[in-house]
């Protein structure tokens, strides 16, 4: 089978539109993961042991089970308990929860890299826990977490095709639909591969540049 440039031109607008959906899915999923991941990381450091243990086990469960299983669980099991979600919402929640578990470990590494003396100084001047994190710890920990956070952003983008299993109209589903309608899979799947490659390379380069900028600002080299 040879490459059909006319067919490529016909399907390209549809695939580009699906690419926007994929980017939106990745962005929203990452936003949820970034916020929840920070909550998980801080919750595991509380003196209230039942909460710490519960969150730690939840994080371990989310990291140890496949993302596609979690997508199915949120979308299909939820309605049995009165929680009916659209494919988009269910997919965003599943991706957000899954990657929040991974980002919590990234945050934890950044938080633990803050010198112990900083914590002791906060206690000495009677800062509350919220003030300690907001004013002292997180401004130092978050820049150190940029590289790991960026890597998971790329991972989320590459995992968005899993959302097609519950009918989310992202890039891979669009390519599969085009192939099935026209009995040609070479062009749509090749375009999908190129799109994922270009966006992943661009994202990786941007993250490295941002990390280098932060390090210069902090005088780390």
């Amino acid at each position: 089978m040879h490459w059909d440039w006319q067919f490529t031109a016909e399907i390209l607008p549809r695939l580009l539109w699906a690419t926007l959906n994929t980017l939106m899915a990745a962005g929203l999923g990452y936003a949820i993961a970034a916020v929840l991941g920070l909550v998980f990381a801080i919750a595991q450091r509380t003196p209230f042991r039942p909460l710490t243990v519960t969150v730690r086990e939840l994080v371990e469960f989310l990291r140890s089970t496949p993302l596609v299983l979690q997508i199915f669980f949120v979308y299909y099991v939820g309605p049995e308990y009165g929680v009916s979600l659209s494919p988009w919402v269910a997919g965003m929640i599943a991706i957000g929860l899954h990657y929040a578990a991974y980002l919590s470990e990234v945050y934890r590494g950044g938080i633990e890299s803050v010198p112990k003396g900083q914590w002791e100084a906060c206690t000495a001047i009677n800062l509350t826990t919220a003030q300690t994190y907001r004013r002292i710890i997180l401004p130092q920990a978050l820049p150190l977490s940029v590289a790991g956070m960026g890597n998971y952003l790329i991972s989320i983008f590459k995992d968005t095709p899993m959302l097609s299993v519950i009918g989310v109209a992202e890039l891979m589903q669009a390519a599969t639909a085009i192939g099935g309608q026209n009995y040609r899979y070479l062009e749509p799947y090749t375009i999908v591969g190129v799109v994922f490659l270009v966006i992943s390379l661009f994202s990786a380069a941007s993250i490295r540049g941002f990390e280098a900028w932060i390090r210069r600002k902090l005088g780390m080299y």
Side-chain angles (χ1 to χ4, degrees), residues 61-74:
F61 171 79
L62 292 171
R63 294 178 63 199
S64 302
T65 52
L67 173 57
V68 67
L69 173 62
Q70 294 168 24
I71 292 171
F72 279 133
F73 195 90
V74 172

Side-chain angles (χ1 to χ4, degrees), residues 18-19 21-22 25 160-164 168-175 196:
T19 300
N21 286 340
T22 298
T160 52
M162 292 189 188
L163 298 178
S164 64
V168 174
E170 48 72 54
L171 186 56
M172 184 62 73
Q173 189 198 53
F196 273 99

Side-chain angles (χ1 to χ4, degrees), residues 71-209:
I71 292 171
F72 279 133
F73 195 90
V74 172
Y75 186 64
Y76 290 111
V77 178
E80 296 181 10
Y81 295 89
V83 182
S84 297
L85 302 172
S86 68
W88 261 101
V89 174
M92 296 306 96
I93 290 175
I95 285 181
L97 284 171
H98 184 78
Y99 278 97
Y102 287 97
L103 285 177
S104 71
E105 295 300 299
V106 175
Y107 288 130
R108 184 173 64 85
I111 291 172
E112 291 181 352
S113 69
V114 176
K116 186 179 179 181
Q118 299 282 335
W119 296 90
E120 295 172 347
C122 292
T123 302
I125 61 176
N126 294 319
L127 290 182
T128 64
T129 300
Q131 290 173 328
T132 297
Y133 275 106
R134 187 176 69 252
R135 297 182 181 180
I136 308 299
I137 304 303
L138 292 182
Q140 298 178 73
L142 293 181
L144 300 174
S145 305
V146 168
M149 294 174 67
N151 290 335
Y152 284 119
L153 172 59
I154 296 172
S155 295
I156 287 178
F157 173 68
K158 292 190 292 187
D159 277 348
T160 52
M162 292 189 188
L163 298 178
S164 64
V165 299
I166 56 173
V168 174
E170 48 72 54
L171 186 56
M172 184 62 73
Q173 189 198 53
T176 301
I178 290 171
Q181 293 166 2
N182 298 276
Y183 302 102
R184 290 189 66 93
Y185 292 92
L186 172 63
E187 292 85 359
Y189 282 153
T190 301
I191 293 172
V192 167
V194 171
V195 168
F196 273 99
L197 177 63
V198 169
I199 294 178
S200 295
L201 291 176
F202 175 78
S203 299
S206 299
I207 291 164
R208 286 195 297 270

